Amino acid sequence: GAVVSQHPSRVICKSGTSVKIECRSLDFQATTMFWYRQFPKQSLMLMATSNEGSKATYEQGVEKDKFLINHASLTLSTLTVTSAHPEDSSFYICSARSAGLNSYNEQFFGPGTRLTVL
Amino acid sequence: GEDVEQSLFLSVREGDSSVINCTYTDSSSTYLYWYKQEPGAGLQLLTYIFSNMDMKQDQRLTVLLNKKDKHLSLRIADTQTGDSAIYFCAETLNAGNNRKLIWGLGTSLAVNP
């Protein structure tokens, strides 16, 4: 149980285009979803936290107009990288948490999406 | 501010024990976690410990928590080549209505045959 999927797993796009990444909780309802960015050989950088039905809370330094997050249902959140540039190339990982799933507040992680902007 | 620190690399021989260390700063953390990331993959929760515990054992894994020194360690007994991965220590941070994780940089464990 507690599986999180991401789609696509890998995307290559041209500079200036927008890319949408989907994160789905497959067998539980995710009251909160998190979007992370991971650079090579580095830790996860939390970009934003989204609660279903409300606006995402962005971390300091993350442009909300650049990285649009929508958490429209309890099983789906999307991250749209608008007007992507090569510096946006990275590994994007989502995670999901359910208030009622366990007592230790575990986040369940998707497999990640590798974005390459040419 | 909040900060989690780990050593970046560890190399062990197959069959030996591995010990990965982590220090954190937020004394109000309720849970501390160890996650494993294999190359090109997402993160998998290995184990966690509640802040009022000193030790937790789960098969080959032993977690030790020294709350006074804010030090967390993960011991992997009889380390196998399949244990080669990056291990992240994380602590919970209560931030308003959200609880978020603060991550270390990860320790890259290399297991040599």
Side-chain angles (χ1 to χ4, degrees):
Chain A
V3 177
V4 176
S5 70
Q6 273 184 249
H7 178 79
S9 57
R10 190 178 292 266
V11 57
I12 300 172
C13 69
K14 291 182 180 178
S15 188
T17 60
S18 294
V19 174
K20 181 187 281 189
I21 302 169
E22 290 186 351
C23 177
R24 292 182 186 272
S25 56
L26 298 186
D27 49 5
F28 68 101
Q29 293 186 324
T31 46
T32 307
M33 284 186 167
F34 303 85
W35 286 96
Y36 294 90
R37 184 171 176 178
Q38 187 179 31
F39 294 98
K41 300 188 189 302
Q42 289 192 25
S43 187
L44 283 78
M45 183 192 81
L46 178 65
M47 299 174 67
T49 302
S50 75
N51 292 300
E52 184 265 338
S54 55
K55 287 185 180 179
T57 303
Y58 289 81
E59 295 298 303
Q60 194 171 6
V62 179
E63 298 175 61
K64 61 181 181 181
D65 295 330
K66 171 88 174 160
F67 299 99
L68 300 177
I69 291 171
N70 184 287
H71 189 169
S73 79
L74 283 171
T75 59
L76 173 65
S77 176
T78 59
L79 167 68
T80 301
V81 183
T82 62
S83 187
H85 287 94
E87 58 266 29
D88 299 324
S89 298
S90 194
F91 194 52
Y92 291 87
I93 305 174
C94 76
S95 70
R97 186 175 69 204
S98 173
L101 203 59
N102 55 53
S103 64
Y104 49 90
N105 301 313
E106 180 181 356
Q107 292 183 24
F108 298 93
F109 285 81
T113 296
R114 173 72 60 193
L115 170 63
T116 303
V117 185
L118 302 176
Chain B
E2 60 272 1
D3 197 16
V4 175
E5 295 188 355
Q6 300 177 237
S7 51
L8 295 182
F9 301 100
L10 178 65
S11 180
V12 299
R13 285 192 309 182
E14 191 174 15
D16 288 350
S17 291
S18 308
V19 180
I20 303 172
N21 294 300
C22 168
T23 57
Y24 62 97
T25 54
D26 188 354
S27 58
S28 66
S29 291
T30 48
Y31 291 98
L32 295 113
Y33 307 86
W34 284 104
Y35 279 85
K36 177 183 180 182
Q37 185 181 33
E38 297 188 60
L43 284 88
Q44 170 198 358
L45 178 66
L46 269 185
T47 187
Y48 67 94
I49 188 166
F50 189 49
S51 59
N52 69 354
M53 298 168 66
D54 298 323
M55 185 181 89
K56 180 179 179 181
Q57 188 149 3
D58 183 2
Q59 298 182 351
R60 293 191 295 125
L61 305 177
T62 303
V63 178
L64 295 178
L65 175 60
N66 181 328
K67 219 176 164 187
K68 175 175 167 288
D69 294 338
K70 296 187 188 130
H71 183 265
L72 183 74
S73 69
L74 172 70
R75 179 177 180 271
I76 305 173
D78 186 26
T79 313
Q80 302 298 305
T81 54
D83 294 325
S84 294
I86 301 176
Y87 291 81
F88 290 95
C89 168
E91 61 166 342
T92 48
L93 177 70
N94 290 315
N97 292 325
N98 286 315
R99 272 185 292 271
K100 59 181 183 180
L101 295 178
I102 305 300
W103 298 83
L105 288 178
T107 299
S108 182
L109 174 64
V111 182
N112 306 305

